[in-house]
Amino acid sequence: MFPELNNLLNITPDKVEQGKLTLLCDAKTDGSFLVHHFLSFFLKAKCKVCFVALVQSFSHYNIVGQKLGVSLTTAWERGQLVFLEALKTSLDIFFQTPAGPHPLQFLREASARNLQPLYAFVQEALKPEDGGEATWRHPVLLVDDLSVLLSLGVRAVAVLDFIHYCRATVCTELKGNLVALVHDSGDAADEENDLLVSGLSHQSHLILRAEGLATGFCKDVHGQASPSRVIGVRAACVHSHMWIQNTGLADSTQVHRKKAKGNTQKYCHGFSLGDFSFILLGYFAFMFL
């Protein structure tokens, strides 16, 4: 995990919020580093994790996880991690006849795109243990990424329904957390993508948006990120970092980021690397705004 991002969000593996839906959104950049961060974060927090991986293989996530201080293989062997590798299991759908309901059953359907089997898989993976003391802390569902479902022919409404039911089960019933990545194409003609991003934003408690630089390429800065918290209109501030607007959407100042080996460094607008190893958003948002 990235300590600077934890400081930005004011979270630690020992202090994990419960019942939250976190939306990871990227536009004109790769936001997968956020997925790797939260995967390693929740594993270190000793949470039970169900990871629906629609993009990469298990070995890919495991290699990146080892660089961030966690072993997915060990977590899987101990029962802490339930991993759905779509790239591998999807072959069973096309070349074999599943004995029972398959999480990716929608791939065989010509018209109806029903994600109910995928929801049933999540529900079974994160159900509480029968009797005795729980081995792991509250459950977590991590999805990478929802935009792939659109490219496979699933309608945005079906994806939103899937997240709605997962949120009701994981966040409300089990007091766990849900983290999902989605791509913002920025194409006004892509109505399905716009509907998905908008719908997920309304359901989310926290939105982490990673973007490419508006000015284009820069040697020392790889992109920018902006966290937003969706809260009630009665609140006045969040962690003293973010200004609350009347709409109930709390937006922080955008922060620049630079990829580094095993880490990601953050800088506020107008600052270059200089002699700083990293500059956190919380300090400068409070001092200069």
Side-chain angles (χ1 to χ4, degrees):
M1 62 182 178
F2 304 129
E4 288 82 2
L5 186 54
N6 288 341
N7 293 337
L8 174 67
L9 301 175
N10 193 26
I11 59 175
T12 65
D14 297 327
K15 185 180 66 175
V16 181
E17 293 182 314
Q18 295 180 246
K20 303 299 183 182
L21 168 56
T22 300
L23 177 63
L24 312 178
C25 184
D26 59 16
K28 299 180 180 179
T29 190
D30 183 10
S32 61
F33 73 97
L34 294 171
V35 175
H36 296 298
H37 166 78
F38 281 101
L39 176 59
S40 60
F41 174 83
F42 285 118
L43 289 179
K44 288 184 177 181
K46 301 186 183 304
C47 297
K48 178 65 177 290
V49 178
C50 176
F51 189 11
V52 179
L54 303 174
V55 180
Q56 299 287 352
S57 64
F58 179 86
S59 59
H60 168 81
Y61 295 104
N62 190 37
I63 291 173
V64 178
Q66 289 176 353
K67 295 181 179 180
L68 298 178
V70 296
S71 172
L72 270 63
T73 302
T74 302
W76 177 75
E77 292 175 348
R78 294 187 302 179
Q80 182 185 8
L81 174 66
V82 178
F83 192 91
L84 176 61
E85 187 175 357
L87 293 178
K88 182 178 180 180
T89 58
S90 60
L91 297 177
D92 299 336
I93 292 293
F94 295 109
F95 300 107
Q96 300 179 14
T97 302
H102 194 281
L104 304 180
Q105 185 66 35
F106 65 89
L107 293 175
R108 293 178 61 95
E109 299 174 358
S111 57
R113 300 296 182 177
N114 186 6
L115 296 180
Q116 184 175 354
L118 183 59
Y119 166 72
F121 170 83
V122 173
Q123 192 177 34
E124 177 67 21
L126 296 179
K127 70 176 182 180
E129 299 179 2
D130 296 332
E133 185 177 354
T135 306
W136 309 108
R137 297 171 65 182
H138 52 271
V140 174
L141 171 61
L142 184 60
V143 184
D144 182 22
D145 69 77
L146 293 173
S147 298
V148 172
L149 297 175
L150 296 183
S151 64
L152 294 175
V154 182
R155 301 297 300 272
V157 174
V159 179
L160 292 174
D161 288 342
F162 167 71
I163 292 297
H164 172 76
Y165 281 103
C166 287
R167 179 186 175 188
T169 300
V170 179
C171 299
T172 303
E173 180 181 345
L174 301 178
K175 304 301 180 182
N177 293 292
L178 197 163
V179 181
L181 174 67
V182 65
H183 295 292
D184 186 355
S185 63
D187 185 2
D190 192 349
E191 296 180 357
E192 286 290 297
N193 182 262
D194 288 345
L195 176 60
L196 179 61
V197 174
S198 176
L200 291 173
S201 299
H202 284 290
Q203 294 190 49
S204 302
H205 299 89
L206 172 65
I207 304 171
L208 285 175
R209 184 177 178 86
E211 301 174 311
L213 291 176
T215 55
F217 175 77
C218 178
K219 178 181 179 181
D220 291 330
V221 182
H222 291 139
Q224 60 190 28
S226 58
S228 305
R229 290 185 185 273
V230 181
I231 63 171
V233 294
R234 295 182 180 179
C237 64
V238 178
H239 303 318
S240 299
H241 301 336
M242 305 175 188
W243 183 256
I244 308 306
Q245 302 174 353
N246 292 331
T247 58
L249 181 63
D251 289 332
S252 72
T253 301
Q254 291 178 332
V255 58
H256 288 159
R257 65 181 179 86
K258 176 179 174 63
K259 295 179 182 178
K261 184 177 181 180
N263 204 350
T264 180
Q265 300 173 352
K266 298 176 178 60
Y267 310 88
C268 284
H269 278 285
F271 287 85
S272 61
L273 286 178
D275 297 328
F276 297 95
S277 59
F278 56 85
I279 304 175
L280 296 179
L281 170 65
Y283 177 77
F284 282 97
F286 181 79
M287 294 294 291
F288 292 98
L289 288 182

